[in-house]
Amino acid sequence: MLNPTEIHDVNVRYHDLAADHYDSKWGIDFGELGRAQVVAKAGKALGRPPGRYGRSLEIGAGTGYFTLNLLAAGVIERATCTDISPGMLSVLAENARRAGHAVETEPAEAESLPFPDASFELVFGHAVLHHIPDLPRAFSEFERVLAPGGTLLFAGEPSRQGDRLARVPKRLASAVAPLWRRAIGARPAPPSQEDEPDAALERVVDVHAFAPDELEDLARGAHLQQVRVTGEELLANWFGWANRTLEASAEPSDVPWIWRQYAHRGYLLLQELDRRAFEPRLPAAVFYNLMITARKAEK
Ligand SMILES: C[S@@+](CC[C@H](N)C(=O)[O-])C[C@H]1O[C@@H](n2cnc3c(N)ncnc32)[C@H](O)[C@@H]1O
């Protein structure tokens, strides 16, 4: 078990190493698709279309997936992006320059934010809470830097139960991988691929998975109000993990283009099915990702 300083250091190393290939690895898009995804996520989390926010702060902004797409969609006006990884922030600055957006970047640890009280109307993040060792401290910082009446929004957080359910398609895919490779005529992945320098660190940087009420308690513990936790991605996620497991077992250049198209389009279709059929009906805990929104009281 690592202590918080060690977790911090590993997070910086892992994300610095990941920065250059992060967008291509995760299919991060800064065009129409990315904008639609991010606005849809914010809308689902809030339970209504996102409004407009003047000053925004992103925690663990990575390469800018949320901030740059929210700027492009006109949801936020003046954006500050923080992250503990200087490598991520330099890729973000380059992505912002290419997209023509002005963004302030500031290396910062979520548990101690270098901003005065009440600085932002929106404090948000995507896929970052599960990396932060002291979450009560981080939530108290989020509350401190929010302006009265401001909104907190975090999405893309792993759900403990959703993660357990997603292991089933991963195991099934591992079991059928040799048959699948034979069917598509692919050679097994070279051993070095499963041993990428960042693969070992990945296991260390994910320090939490959540039950919905744990996220709610964090927001309430920081005196935030109107707390709302929802879940997203069920079938899309199972499909995505199964395909990634199959693909990781094969020599990348042997995986045919048509298969990659099928995997990508199938994922988008199932995302739509999840959104319409399952997300409004099933409990948040069964989904792979959790989202939380809350508000700071008006003065
Ligand atoms: C999984 S990545 C997500 C990046 C981006 N939000 C996205 O959705 O593409 C997590 C990010 O959180 C950052 N991070 C990890 N621990 C952090 C901490 N304690 N404080 C601030 N940022 C942190 C990492 O450096 C990394 O850029």
Side-chain angles (χ1 to χ4, degrees), residues 4 7-8 10-16 19 22-23 26 28 30 58-67 82-89 92 107-113 124-134 138 142 155-157 205-207:
I7 292 172
H8 172 107
V10 176
N11 255 297
V12 175
R13 261 172 47 223
Y14 171 76
H15 288 102
D16 274 350
Y22 192 81
D23 291 344
W26 296 105
I28 290 187
F30 295 106
E58 181 165 6
I59 309 293
T63 59
Y65 176 48
F66 255 54
T67 286
T82 59
D83 201 291
I84 50 166
S85 154
M88 285 290 202
L89 287 180
L92 189 158
E109 158 70 60
E111 294 161 1
S112 94
L113 296 172
F124 67 99
H126 180 248
V128 58
L129 294 179
H130 63 285
H131 294 307
I132 301 172
D134 189 342
F142 305 156
E157 295 303 333
V205 297
D206 293 343
V207 283

Side-chain angles (χ1 to χ4, degrees), residues 204-287:
V204 178
V205 297
D206 293 343
V207 283
H208 309 280
F210 301 99
D213 57 350
E214 290 166 351
L215 283 177
E216 275 173 31
D217 289 349
L218 283 164
R220 295 221 168 83
H223 311 292
L224 292 163
Q225 304 180 343
Q226 299 175 33
V227 181
R228 181 173 193 273
V229 175
T230 44
E232 69 164 357
E233 293 212 358
L234 189 69
L235 297 188
N237 190 269
W238 296 353
F239 182 79
W241 273 118
N243 290 336
R244 274 200 293 278
T245 307
L246 292 174
E247 287 166 19
S249 79
E251 160 61 44
S253 59
D254 291 351
V255 178
W257 175 86
I258 189 82
W259 168 270
R260 295 200 190 272
Q261 284 299 308
Y262 148 82
H264 179 63
R265 282 164 200 263
Y267 180 76
L268 296 180
L269 262 171
L270 289 173
Q271 250 186 347
E272 194 55 27
L273 181 65
D274 284 341
R275 188 179 69 78
R276 286 168 191 253
F278 298 117
E279 288 164 10
R281 292 184 180 85
L282 296 180
V286 302
F287 293 92

